[in-house]
Amino acid sequence: MARHPGTDRPVFQWAQEHGEVGGVHTSHHQLSATLRGEGVEVVYVDTGSAARALWALPGLRRRGLHLLHLTRLWRAMVLAPAFALLRGRTVLVLHSGSTSGQVARMPWWRRRALVLALHAYDEIWAVNDEIGAILPDRLRSRVTVVTPFDASAAPVPSPNSRDPHALALATNAGLAHYNADLGVEAVEQVRRTWPDATLTVLAYGNDTEAVQALRDRAAGEPWLTVAFDTPPAEVSAVLSRVGTFLRPTSWDGDSVIVREALAAGARVVASDTAPRPEGVVLAPLTAAGLAGAVVEGGPVSDGSGLAQTTLAQAAHASRAAL
């Protein structure tokens, strides 16, 4: 087991340790597993539970690396005063591909407050470089673009046989930008060529009316299955079984489940609305375009626009600076 210098300097993970399944949860748990495997102490400050977070507070007197995992910038603003007082090095980890959109929707005074708040963090790690483009030079130098997926900590692909005409897609609470309905329509068109094609929708997060609408639709379609809050091991089994993982999102970051699907050996067909990892088949964001890419193929991403630096690699570099 490789040990890195400064194993006495803990890494504090400010994240929902027991939060909902999804990309952020997978990402910080992969990071924890990688660091612990290398002999680094990892402590959770559970932002999803005030009671569990209080248990971690005495340990914050120690000097260490503090990683705040967020998707919403306003939370970084709220927590900035506390992070300015912590001992050690502080990092804001932005997992969402919506960062630039969040800033664009802010009034000018809130943007100014955001810039001031970000001075509380020694570093900013983001899944794309959009955050850097909106920051002044004095903050831009603090930005590191990272990939939130670590193949070294990914589950081993299932030995089960793969069904080339089985597809899957994921949606967080049926939110509109995941376009789960569009994915279903695309598979309906795929079935004109592949009558045996099936689709598994992996839904997670809040159990909303949109998720229930997907269930209602599946009740009348024997080829369509909707699973909710599927445990990580079962998600891995699905990704190891399907021939194609479909990602029809309107916008995206460096999606963890896309990386998981590739690591599991599935082909990935994704909308051409965001940078995609190397090997992903790109398609227009239409039912016909997605269906055509599934059946006939299409242009393949070379990975441009996404980082190769993992969270663990960035963490080691930051700990070296403590």
Side-chain angles (χ1 to χ4, degrees):
M1 176 180 69
R3 293 180 69 86
H4 285 260
T7 53
D8 59 330
R9 297 192 291 268
V11 173
F12 295 94
Q13 294 264 53
W14 294 68
Q16 294 190 37
E17 183 178 11
H18 305 286
E20 66 184 35
V21 299
V24 177
H25 184 270
T26 297
S27 180
H28 64 71
H29 274 272
Q30 283 185 347
L31 173 59
S32 295
T34 300
L35 293 177
R36 286 167 174 162
E38 295 168 344
V40 177
E41 181 184 359
V42 178
V43 178
Y44 269 91
V45 183
D46 195 335
T47 56
S49 167
R52 287 193 292 267
L54 286 173
W55 279 103
L57 292 184
L60 299 183
R61 293 191 296 266
R62 303 163 62 192
R63 185 174 178 82
L65 176 64
H66 296 267
L67 307 180
L68 175 60
H69 296 266
L70 294 178
T71 58
R72 298 298 176 191
L73 284 170
W74 68 265
R75 293 177 179 168
M77 298 169 66
V78 171
L79 289 169
F83 270 71
L85 299 175
L86 291 172
R87 296 190 64 203
R89 196 161 182 83
T90 58
V91 180
L92 174 61
V93 188
L94 295 172
H95 287 264
S96 178
S98 68
T99 298
S100 63
Q102 292 180 53
V103 175
R105 291 189 293 272
M106 291 181 178
W108 69 267
W109 57 269
R110 184 163 290 178
R111 292 188 200 181
R112 180 171 295 180
L114 171 65
V115 170
L116 291 173
L118 292 182
H119 280 85
Y121 304 94
D122 296 309
E123 299 180 48
I124 302 168
W125 300 350
V127 296
N128 58 44
D129 58 6
E130 291 180 343
I131 184 67
I134 62 171
L135 295 179
D137 290 342
R138 63 185 181 276
L139 283 176
R140 199 171 301 163
S141 61
R142 303 186 187 192
V143 177
T144 298
V145 182
V146 296
T147 176
F149 178 74
D150 193 336
S152 68
V156 176
S158 167
N160 297 335
S161 59
R162 192 175 298 280
D163 181 350
H165 290 177
L167 297 94
L169 63 80
T171 177
N172 182 350
L175 293 173
H177 69 272
Y178 284 88
N179 294 314
D181 287 332
L182 183 65
V184 173
E185 292 171 17
V187 177
E188 284 180 325
Q189 295 192 28
V190 168
R191 285 175 52 81
R192 298 172 188 170
T193 304
W194 300 345
D196 60 339
T198 61
L199 175 64
T200 299
V201 176
L202 299 168
Y204 61 95
N206 294 324
D207 196 348
T208 61
E209 291 182 3
V211 173
Q212 185 57 48
L214 287 167
R215 290 194 189 97
D216 293 341
R217 188 169 185 176
E221 302 287 1
W223 53 269
L224 177 60
T225 300
V226 177
F228 185 75
D229 269 0
T230 305
E234 293 181 27
V235 171
S236 297
V238 170
L239 299 179
S240 295
R241 175 181 60 81
V242 299
T244 302
F245 181 76
L246 202 57
R247 188 70 172 175
T249 48
S250 299
W251 49 261
D252 222 334
D254 189 349
S255 167
V256 169
I257 198 165
V258 165
R259 297 274 192 180
E260 284 184 295
L262 290 171
R267 184 178 64 144
V268 176
V269 173
S271 55
D272 57 4
T273 55
R276 301 296 186 183
E278 182 178 2
V280 171
V281 178
L282 303 175
L285 187 56
T286 64
L290 291 163
V294 169
V295 174
E296 300 174 4
V300 177
S301 172
D302 63 1
S304 297
L306 296 179
Q308 299 302 317
T309 301
T310 67
L311 291 176
Q313 291 168 339
H316 290 314
S318 296
R319 290 177 72 251
L322 278 170

